[in-house]
Amino acid sequence: MAKLKILEFPDPRLRIKATPVEFVSDELRTLISDMFETMYAAPGIGLAATQVDVHKRLLVADLSDDNTEPHVLINPEILEKDGVIVTDEGCLSVPGYYEAVERAERIKVRFIDRDETEIEMEAVGLLAVCIQHEVDHLDGKLFVDYLSEAKRQRIRRKLEKDRRQQATEVA
Ligand code: NI
């Protein structure tokens, strides 16, 4: 297993729309393991392949405290959305920022898992929010897109400044 580098906003590669997975290869299974390792180490509750610069429709999630409820969603398709929930969302590609975002409270999602079994699942609350957030990544969309232009630019400038400082400290 290997920890992968997570792209950070405003990296243009986060805007690439991911293409469907045709079949679950050994290479893809390795990527799935690496994505879990990367997500758990961060730590985070969800990670889309887009965030590690692989533009395939694949996401992983685990909302448990002890990393015991791993979800692998390949080619996820949200079939139904219902209700409204507002949560403070964060994102491993926008480190340090949490902002209120409105999403559907419950969803029905269809996907294949790592054994290529087709599954239809209902998700409610935080899991529903997480899946919607990660599916957005696969479409090149970030949670900051739901904020005002002014707020998004402020976050962008601050992250760029942080990165310049880090570069100076390393140099
Ligand atoms: Ni994210």
Side-chain angles (χ1 to χ4, degrees):
M1 298 226 291
K3 239 177 78 181
L4 306 168
K5 186 173 159 22
I6 297 176
L7 301 178
E8 291 185 4
F9 176 69
D11 193 309
R13 289 170 291 181
L14 288 168
R15 298 307 188 176
I16 298 171
K17 196 169 156 57
T19 57
V21 171
E22 280 168 33
F23 66 99
V24 180
S25 61
D26 288 344
E27 196 187 350
L28 197 85
R29 288 197 178 89
T30 303
L31 172 66
I32 291 166
S33 300
D34 291 346
M35 282 174 63
F36 274 114
E37 185 180 347
T38 305
M39 179 184 78
Y40 289 140
I45 59 169
L47 187 68
T50 306
Q51 293 177 274
V52 293
D53 202 20
V54 177
H55 302 283
K56 292 281 174 198
R57 301 192 76 83
L58 157 69
L59 66 90
V60 300
D62 189 335
L63 273 61
S64 70
D65 291 330
D66 51 0
N67 304 348
T68 51
E69 290 165 34
H71 295 277
V72 177
L73 281 68
I74 299 165
N75 299 340
E77 227 183 307
I78 296 175
L79 305 173
E80 287 173 27
K81 290 185 178 187
D82 191 29
V84 173
I85 185 172
V86 178
T87 51
D88 276 342
E89 288 187 28
C91 178
L92 297 176
S93 295
V94 190
Y97 289 88
Y98 297 87
E99 297 286 346
V101 176
E102 189 179 299
R103 305 270 187 187
E105 187 186 16
R106 52 180 71 230
I107 60 168
K108 188 191 271 185
V109 61
R110 182 167 59 207
F111 57 94
I112 58 170
D113 68 7
R114 60 177 121 189
D115 303 315
E116 291 188 332
T117 307
E118 188 177 290
I119 295 175
E120 263 187 37
M121 178 174 88
E122 292 205 21
V124 183
L126 191 55
L127 182 58
V129 169
C130 178
I131 291 170
Q132 290 170 85
H133 175 119
E134 302 310 333
V135 170
D136 271 357
H137 274 303
L138 303 179
D139 291 325
K141 197 165 178 183
L142 296 165
F143 86 95
V144 293
D145 299 347
Y146 295 97
L147 310 177
S148 69
E149 176 70 21
K151 202 173 249 185
R152 187 164 51 252
Q153 292 309 329
R154 201 152 59 231
I155 292 173
R156 179 189 174 128
R157 279 196 300 272
K158 182 75 172 59
L159 281 173
E160 284 173 339
K161 192 176 156 209
D162 289 351
R163 275 196 288 275
R164 275 198 305 276
Q165 269 169 1
Q166 280 165 10
T168 313
E169 279 161 20
V170 170

